[in-house]
Amino acid sequence: MEKRKMDRLGEEISLLGFGCMRFPVAEDGKIDRKQAEKMLDRAYAAGVNYFDTAYPYHNGESEVFVGEAMKKYDRNSFYLATKLPSWMVNSVEDAEKCFATQLERLQTDYIDFYLLHAMNRDSWNKMVKLGVVEYCERLQREGKIRHFGFSFHDSYEAFEQILNYRNWDFCQIQLNYMDVNEQAGMRGYKLAEEKNVPLVIMEPVKGGSLAAFAEDITARLRSLDPQASTASFALRWVGSLPNVKVVLSGMSNMEQVEDNLKTFGDFRPLSEQESRVIDEIVETINGRVQNGCTGCRYCMPCPAGVDIPRNFRIWNTYHMYQNYNMVKGGWEGGIADEAKAKNCIKCGKCEKICPQKLSIRADLERVQEDLDKKEMIF
């Protein structure tokens, strides 16, 4: 198993981290504990030593399960990471209660890597104002948490504000070869590297979208290595960055565990040729965008109630990845029926004020037609 050193922290950690938010589930909707425990055992036996969970994962069951499943192992042989749910915290007392619950759930008296969960500008300012940052620093002095960090979902500017606030032990960001300009992105990666803050990466396969492509892109990757999975190239792209110390993968079955162990057990950074092909794939995918909607929302509110930017975002994603399963949740449940493109009354108000001068009415017709057909499914 590939290991990476967090020199400043004195830790050596498996490059593959087990993300504990997508365990297999049983018919009752709860974690299939027998299967999930086999997955954890297999990963641990292969050298994975970083296990990442959080208060809300699996409706609160993840921490409980991980605590039970890992108690058979020497506590000093692996690292536990979990997160403080900032949206539940309105006082230091709330934070204290959450932390006490997490220690109980995980059956431990300390957390190795403790994060403020899903920081954005507003939640960060709230944590500072309430004194939660100072509370976590006190926990660290008391030995109840060993390393203090944060996970992040917002703009680069918000990331810069948070990262520069204090001398963080580590932080966790979303990064993959399609999202280099999203959220913290590569600018955030470089800033963390400059400040010597080790990075843990989430969404390296972009929620699975970089694991299932149409045949043309799959064939390009297969030409590089017929034995490698599509997902492995996304994982290797992230792992090739030197300040990435842990790449989290939310594994849902044993097949995914085995494939990831194959990738990280004999880890190879991307070659120049592989990097070039990935760049070409990114260009191809971005070239499939159907219109140039930037999500500025100048077109909103729509007199007919259509959520124009959201319709276009779903539609563009569908064509980029050529896979209906990528947008099924968003189209069938994430957007209200009354907000779908079919409700457009063609008044033209939106087109008069669109900065991109898009043919919104015609494009909305195509949105509904394409997504109703659901032709690209694999």
Side-chain angles (χ1 to χ4, degrees):
M1 174 58 55
E2 176 80 2
K3 298 286 177 66
R4 293 276 168 93
K5 288 185 178 180
M6 292 186 179
D7 293 326
R8 185 160 60 86
L9 305 185
E11 308 289 10
E12 188 173 53
I13 302 176
S14 58
L15 182 55
L16 173 62
F18 203 122
C20 300
M21 68 175 293
R22 294 190 176 102
F23 285 126
V25 296
E27 291 183 2
D28 61 2
K30 294 187 176 182
I31 295 171
D32 182 334
R33 296 194 170 208
K34 184 176 181 180
Q35 184 181 353
E37 186 166 2
K38 288 180 180 178
M39 291 163 57
L40 287 177
D41 290 344
R42 175 71 182 100
Y44 178 87
V48 174
N49 65 5
Y50 191 95
F51 299 88
D52 171 89
T53 183
Y55 195 98
Y57 291 175
H58 284 281
N59 295 316
E61 189 185 4
S62 177
E63 288 180 328
V64 175
F65 167 69
V66 171
E68 292 177 355
M70 298 301 294
K71 67 181 180 182
K72 59 180 172 287
Y73 298 116
D74 179 353
R75 181 63 182 86
N76 295 317
S77 67
F78 63 91
Y79 301 98
L80 278 178
T82 194
K83 310 171 189 77
L84 180 69
S86 58
W87 57 93
M88 294 176 58
V89 174
N90 293 301
S91 66
V92 170
E93 290 72 26
D94 288 343
E96 291 173 344
K97 291 176 183 177
C98 285
F99 184 72
T101 298
Q102 291 176 298
L103 290 181
E104 182 179 358
R105 286 175 171 181
L106 288 163
Q107 301 188 36
T108 185
D109 54 6
Y110 69 94
I111 306 296
D112 298 287
F113 290 82
Y114 198 59
L115 302 88
L116 300 177
H117 198 173
M119 286 293 98
N120 57 40
R121 192 182 301 275
D122 291 341
S123 60
W124 166 249
N125 289 336
K126 175 185 173 185
M127 293 299 97
V128 172
K129 182 178 180 180
L130 292 175
V132 173
V133 175
E134 287 81 359
Y135 165 67
C136 290
E137 290 172 341
R138 174 160 58 85
L139 288 179
Q140 188 171 23
R141 289 193 298 271
E142 294 171 352
K144 295 178 181 178
I145 63 176
R146 298 183 59 229
H147 307 300
F148 180 36
F150 65 95
S151 66
F152 180 79
H153 293 287
D154 202 346
S155 66
Y156 169 79
E157 290 72 22
F159 180 75
E160 186 176 35
Q161 174 193 356
I162 298 170
L163 197 70
N164 286 333
Y165 182 84
R166 64 183 302 277
N167 187 24
W168 295 98
D169 295 325
F170 72 106
C171 67
Q172 181 171 313
I173 64 172
Q174 174 178 319
L175 189 63
N176 56 69
Y177 62 70
M178 287 303 302
D179 288 339
V180 294
N181 296 314
E182 299 293 323
Q183 298 188 23
M186 281 303 297
R187 289 176 70 193
Y189 169 85
K190 291 174 181 177
L191 180 64
E193 189 173 48
E194 289 171 8
K195 295 180 72 66
N196 195 27
V197 178
L199 283 173
V200 177
I201 301 300
M202 56 184 160
E203 301 295 347
V205 194
K206 197 175 171 62
S209 63
L210 306 185
F213 288 115
E215 183 54 35
D216 62 331
I217 290 179
T218 301
R220 288 195 223 178
L221 295 173
R222 196 177 292 126
S223 70
L224 296 170
D225 185 347
Q227 305 303 316
S229 67
T230 303
S232 69
F233 288 95
L235 295 167
R236 289 175 58 213
W237 183 90
V238 175
S240 297
L241 299 169
N243 194 43
V244 169
K245 305 304 181 182
V246 181
V247 179
L248 293 175
S249 178
M251 293 167 268
S252 300
N253 54 54
M254 189 64 81
E255 182 181 5
Q256 292 173 0
V257 174
E258 295 294 350
D259 187 57
N260 287 344
L261 293 178
K262 178 182 176 183
T263 299
F264 289 97
D266 183 23
F267 183 78
R268 293 178 294 113
L270 290 180
S271 67
E272 289 186 14
Q273 180 189 10
E274 289 171 328
S275 295
R276 187 167 57 251
V277 170
I278 293 293
D279 289 342
E280 292 170 357
I281 287 172
V282 172
E283 185 176 354
T284 297
I285 293 173
N286 285 330
R288 291 172 175 168
V289 170
Q290 298 298 293
N291 72 11
C293 177
T294 64
C296 71
R297 301 189 73 82
Y298 278 85
C299 58
M300 298 297 286
C302 165
V306 176
D307 189 336
I308 297 169
R310 192 165 190 180
N311 276 271
F312 286 158
R313 184 167 66 250
I314 293 171
W315 182 51
N316 281 324
T317 301
Y318 171 58
H319 280 277
M320 286 170 69
Y321 297 98
Q322 298 193 346
N323 185 355
Y324 179 75
N325 289 326
M326 268 289 298
V327 299
K328 181 178 180 180
W331 184 246
E332 296 184 10
I335 183 171
D337 194 64
E338 57 269 22
K340 288 185 176 180
K342 64 184 178 182
N343 296 296
C344 173
I345 58 175
K346 304 190 185 303
C347 67
K349 176 178 176 286
C350 52
E351 293 183 8
K352 293 177 183 177
I353 54 179
C354 175
Q356 310 303 319
K357 305 302 180 185
L358 302 178
S359 300
I360 294 176
R361 289 173 289 182
D363 284 352
L364 286 173
E365 281 191 30
R366 294 171 61 204
V367 169
Q368 195 71 45
E369 181 180 352
D370 287 353
L371 291 168
D372 281 348
K373 283 182 179 177
K374 309 175 186 176
E375 288 182 332
M376 293 186 283
I377 302 178
F378 58 90

